[in-house]
Amino acid sequence: MDYEIRTLSSLEDFTEHERLQREIWGSDQIDVPVNLLMASARHGAVLLGALVDHRMVGILYGFPALTNGHLHHHSHMLGVLPPYRRFGIGLALKLRQREIVRAQGLDEITWTVDPLEVGNNLFNFGRLGVVCDTYIVNAYGEMADALNRGLPSDRLEVRWNVRAELPRASRKISPHATQITAVTYGEDGLPGPQRVAELAGGECLVTLPRDHRTVRQADADLALRWRLRLRQDFTEAFEAGYALAGCVEQVGHGCYILSKPGE
Ligand SMILES: CC(C)(COP(=O)(O)OP(=O)(O)OC[C@H]1O[C@@H](n2cnc3c(N)ncnc32)[C@H](O)[C@@H]1OP(=O)(O)O)[C@@H](O)C(=O)NCCC(=O)NCCS
């Protein structure tokens, strides 16, 4: 598919960005309104659109950020309309963002991502090579949009080194890795979480359903159990000095790889 990635700068562009926010996240509420897009565009924000046949089908928004004295770029929003996904547009938006942020003299882009969204994390860890050692409980409070409503908005905060190379291949799991959370199927055929071992040093694995949306639609309580299971797994692991180093696909499942940096 032919597409163009370009920096957004006019009022029409920003209005279109707002429209896409509604369409992609299925919400009546606007996350970042035109006036804020305009103000931040004048002060170092990165605002990109992906266009197919002159129609905007993907958006990105990020801004310069200061965290504990460290100046970096924080990416708040990346989305592509469903019919245009898996054509390389999301990756092209991130690569353009990386180019602009490098030219601003910054080294790192951060963003938050839902750990239940395996597809997004295959993209983040597998294609971009992010790392993560921060878990934020209910990061945005209750969210009303179609993708997020009904569960606490827990997020992983990932970091992307914009000077590093992209991963060449998906990360391999060590044969000595310890599975700490596994998927077990109940009589209703739905995948439930089961903690099967404690953190044991070396590589540890957390397995979860590949498609969390189906679980959420079938059983809201089960979706909440997964949210709380991952919350405990990741907060415990990060407190113990582990970092999240990869997300890979296994038949019907996603699998997070935790390891201690330097081990
Ligand atoms: C995340 C998102 C922006 C990805 O955009 P996209 O244009 O589909 O991504 P790309 O086509 O550039 O994907 C590049 C590679 O990332 C991986 N990838 C992307 N989405 C994936 C998914 N859902 N499942 C598995 N791998 C995925 C693939 O390796 C893909 O390459 P391939 O298609 O050749 O295998 C898009 O799915 C989206 O808009 N999601 C809804 C909004 C959202 O949740 N945004 C938060 C993003 S962190």
Side-chain angles (χ1 to χ4, degrees):
M1 180 177 297
D2 289 337
Y3 55 83
E4 179 204 354
I5 306 290
R6 69 169 174 80
T7 291
L8 305 180
S9 54
S10 67
L11 179 58
E12 291 74 38
D13 283 347
F14 297 140
T15 308
E16 194 60 3
H17 191 290
E18 229 192 39
R19 192 184 65 72
L20 251 77
Q21 293 178 34
R22 279 200 211 92
E23 223 180 303
I24 294 169
W25 281 273
S27 170
D28 296 339
Q29 290 168 10
I30 288 299
D31 190 7
V32 191
V34 164
N35 58 350
L36 191 53
L37 293 175
M38 291 182 95
S40 49
R42 285 197 284 268
H43 298 283
V46 176
L47 267 148
L48 298 175
L51 291 98
V52 172
D53 293 334
H54 308 290
R55 182 170 174 253
M56 209 181 287
V57 301
I59 49 173
L60 180 146
Y61 169 63
F63 48 82
L66 188 64
T67 309
N68 301 326
H70 173 227
L71 191 57
H72 61 104
H73 180 93
H74 184 77
S75 195
H76 183 63
M77 196 175 268
L78 166 72
V80 176
L81 287 173
Y84 298 91
R85 288 182 193 162
R86 303 302 292 266
F87 288 105
I89 294 177
L91 183 61
L93 284 164
K94 289 307 284 185
L95 294 180
R96 181 65 65 81
Q97 180 186 33
R98 179 174 82 159
E99 199 180 299
I100 297 170
V101 167
R102 276 178 177 168
Q104 290 177 335
L106 303 177
D107 294 328
E108 188 173 82
I109 304 180
T110 57
W111 62 94
T112 60
V113 60
D114 188 337
L116 294 171
E117 296 287 349
V118 172
N120 286 353
N121 285 311
L122 291 168
F123 174 72
N124 288 325
F125 287 89
R127 292 307 290 264
L128 301 178
V130 301
V131 292
C132 169
D133 54 14
T134 305
Y135 190 89
I136 309 175
V137 173
N138 208 15
Y140 303 107
E142 275 285 306
M143 297 175 82
D145 65 84
L147 299 191
N148 290 299
R149 87 173 61 97
L151 280 183
S153 57
D154 288 23
R155 294 290 183 268
L156 297 165
E157 186 168 86
V158 302
R159 292 182 281 119
W160 190 29
N161 177 349
V162 300
R163 311 274 163 194
E165 285 191 19
L166 295 180
R168 280 166 207 263
S170 88
R171 199 185 152 108
K172 297 276 173 290
I173 296 178
S174 153
H176 307 295
T178 307
Q179 176 100 35
I180 62 166
T181 284
V183 180
T184 53
Y185 287 85
E187 282 172 12
D188 53 8
L190 291 174
Q194 191 176 10
R195 179 82 181 225
V196 287
E198 296 309 309
L199 291 164
E203 217 169 77
C204 292
L205 309 177
V206 172
T207 303
L208 73 164
R210 169 72 174 81
D211 178 11
H212 186 70
R213 300 271 163 75
T214 312
V215 176
R216 217 187 264 209
Q217 275 159 14
D219 186 341
D221 289 342
L222 183 60
L224 182 60
R225 276 175 56 212
W226 272 109
R227 167 66 85 224
L228 299 179
R229 176 72 269 148
L230 297 187
R231 181 186 287 179
Q232 194 184 339
D233 288 347
F234 289 127
T235 45
E236 249 181 52
F238 295 157
E239 271 168 29
Y242 284 83
L244 194 45
C247 176
V248 296
E249 197 160 15
Q250 294 174 329
V251 213
H253 296 148
C255 179
Y256 286 111
I257 306 170
L258 288 157
S259 63
K260 287 201 175 169
E263 273 187 11

